[in-house]
């Protein structure tokens, strides 16, 4: 690789790292989506997925949000205690519970959806100087970087299994 290309790639990775740091910070901060009660991003994400998929199981939720079953179980427990969600025994499989939002959860779901819409509008406004083709090129580049990161993760996991 040329020195110029190395420099550009280094800057790109710095920006990706900054995005990761900002998203991590965002996820660690409780948010008030309009109802007066604060929720962490993972909690609101769980409400959002259950609101989109009423009757989903904890396992299906885990698969959809790419978190461990244990993580999802803890989140469900917190949201049940806060009155946002309930678990209903599956009438066709007594070992399985289906998740659904309570009325309070449905209200939070709507508030979170409105909040996300405001965030989307702000982001799209910030990106208005870029053409659709430029945004598509960014997606293409990010997908290639993600493919490489996935290979790196797979290699590291393989090394851990042999450790």
């Amino acid at each position: 690789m040329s020195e110029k290309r190395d420099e550009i790639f280094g800057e790109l990775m710095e920006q990706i790292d900054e995005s990761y740091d900002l998203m991590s910070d965002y996820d660690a901060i409780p948010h008030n989506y309009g109802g007066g009660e604060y929720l962490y991003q993972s909690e609101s994400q769980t409400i959002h997925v259950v609101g989109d998929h009423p009757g989903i199981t904890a396992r299906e939720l885990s698969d959809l949000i790419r978190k461990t079953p244990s993580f999802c179980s803890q989140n469900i427990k917190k949201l049940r205690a806060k009155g946002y969600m309930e678990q209903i025994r599956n009438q066709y499989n007594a070992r399985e519970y289906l998740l659904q939002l309570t009325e309070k959860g449905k209200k939070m779901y709507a508030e979170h959806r409105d909040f996300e819409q405001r965030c989307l509008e702000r982001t799209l406004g910030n990106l208005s100087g870029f053409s659709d083709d430029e945004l598509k090129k960014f997606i293409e580049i990010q997908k290639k970087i993600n493919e490489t990161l996935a290979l790196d993760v797979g290699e590291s996991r393989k090394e851990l299994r042999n450790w």
Side-chain angles (χ1 to χ4, degrees), residues 11-155:
E11 186 176 339
L12 175 63
M13 293 309 293
E14 285 176 17
Q15 292 302 312
I16 290 172
D17 287 345
E18 184 176 348
S19 292
Y20 174 81
D21 291 342
L22 289 168
M23 286 187 273
S24 294
D25 289 348
Y26 184 84
D27 286 349
I29 299 169
H31 302 279
N32 178 349
Y33 295 103
E37 192 166 342
Y38 287 81
L39 293 176
Y40 286 96
Q41 179 69 9
S42 62
E43 293 171 322
S44 63
Q45 180 185 30
T46 299
I47 288 172
H48 189 88
V49 171
V50 173
D52 283 348
H53 306 279
I56 192 172
T57 65
R59 183 61 173 165
E60 292 166 335
L61 173 68
S62 170
D63 292 342
L64 272 176
I65 65 172
R66 299 178 68 184
K67 300 288 184 187
T68 65
S70 175
F71 177 90
C72 287
S73 177
Q74 291 301 313
N75 243 1
I76 291 165
K77 185 177 178 180
K78 289 176 193 174
L79 291 169
R80 287 180 62 213
K82 292 179 179 182
Y84 290 106
M85 187 176 298
E86 57 189 356
Q87 291 178 296
I88 308 297
R89 188 179 298 274
N90 185 342
Q91 64 182 3
Y92 303 107
N93 180 350
R95 296 181 305 169
E96 186 174 72
Y97 288 89
L98 307 177
L99 303 171
Q100 63 183 35
L101 299 179
T102 63
E103 287 306 313
K104 182 179 178 182
K106 290 175 185 176
K107 185 173 186 237
M108 180 58 75
Y109 172 77
E111 290 167 352
H112 183 259
R113 188 184 58 233
D114 293 344
F115 174 83
E116 282 191 332
Q117 184 61 41
R118 290 191 306 274
C119 292
L120 175 62
E121 289 169 7
R122 184 172 41 243
T123 302
L124 290 176
N126 216 10
L127 295 174
S128 65
F130 296 98
S131 71
D132 290 350
D133 286 339
E134 288 173 314
L135 293 176
K136 287 177 184 177
K137 181 55 77 175
F138 176 79
I139 292 167
E140 189 180 323
I141 292 167
Q142 187 64 56
K143 283 182 177 180
K144 288 295 182 186
I145 291 171
N146 290 350
E147 286 174 15
T148 306
L149 291 172
L151 291 172
D152 295 345
V153 168
E155 183 179 308

